[in-house]
């Protein structure tokens, strides 16, 4: 048996001030944990490619690879732009102070 007694973590002792948590909002409310738009969109693109490859290999539908890629890129680009605009709109709901 060892008699080693580690020192307690100074940030965990009561009465000491901690650095502000970057994940909390200004009002003291925890910031929402949400997935990023880009992560969701690119995940959907990869999933759509996998489904299209499976469908093509089964011979259900004959697909032109160029048209499939063009369609996926147009859809992904539109989803990224729309998702970014909605995200910016949601973040911009705070009260304004009137100062520039």
């Amino acid at each position: 048996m060892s008699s080693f007694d580690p020192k307690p973590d100074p940030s965990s002792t009561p009465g000491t001030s901690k650095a502000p948590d970057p994940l909390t909002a200004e009002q003291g409310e925890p910031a929402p944990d949400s997935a990023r738009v880009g992560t969701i969109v690119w995940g959907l693109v990869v999933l759509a490619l996998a489904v299209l490859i499976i469908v093509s290999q089964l011979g259900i539908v004959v697909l032109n690879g160029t048209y499939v890629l063009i369609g996926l890129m147009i859809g992904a680009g539109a989803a990224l732009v729309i998702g970014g605009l909605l995200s910016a709109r949601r973040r911009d709901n705070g009260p304004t102070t009137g100062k520039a």
Side-chain angles (χ1 to χ4, degrees):
M1 299 267 295
S2 174
S3 62
F4 177 72
D5 187 21
K7 294 182 180 180
D9 186 15
S11 64
S12 66
T13 56
T16 60
S17 63
K18 293 185 350 183
D21 188 10
L23 297 178
T24 57
E26 287 182 15
Q27 295 83 14
E29 301 170 2
D33 288 338
S34 61
R36 299 178 74 174
V37 174
T39 303
I40 294 171
V41 169
W42 288 114
L44 290 173
V45 166
V46 170
L47 187 64
L49 276 173
V51 168
L52 289 172
I53 289 171
I54 291 171
V55 167
S56 176
Q57 291 297 316
L58 290 175
I60 298 171
V61 177
V62 178
L63 299 172
N64 183 343
T66 303
Y67 292 147
V68 168
L69 286 177
I70 289 172
L72 281 173
M73 291 301 111
I74 290 172
L80 285 169
V81 169
I82 292 169
L85 291 173
L86 291 175
S87 177
R89 183 176 170 208
R90 184 179 46 185
R91 269 185 281 148
D92 198 29
N93 285 340
T96 57
T97 59
K99 297 180 182 177

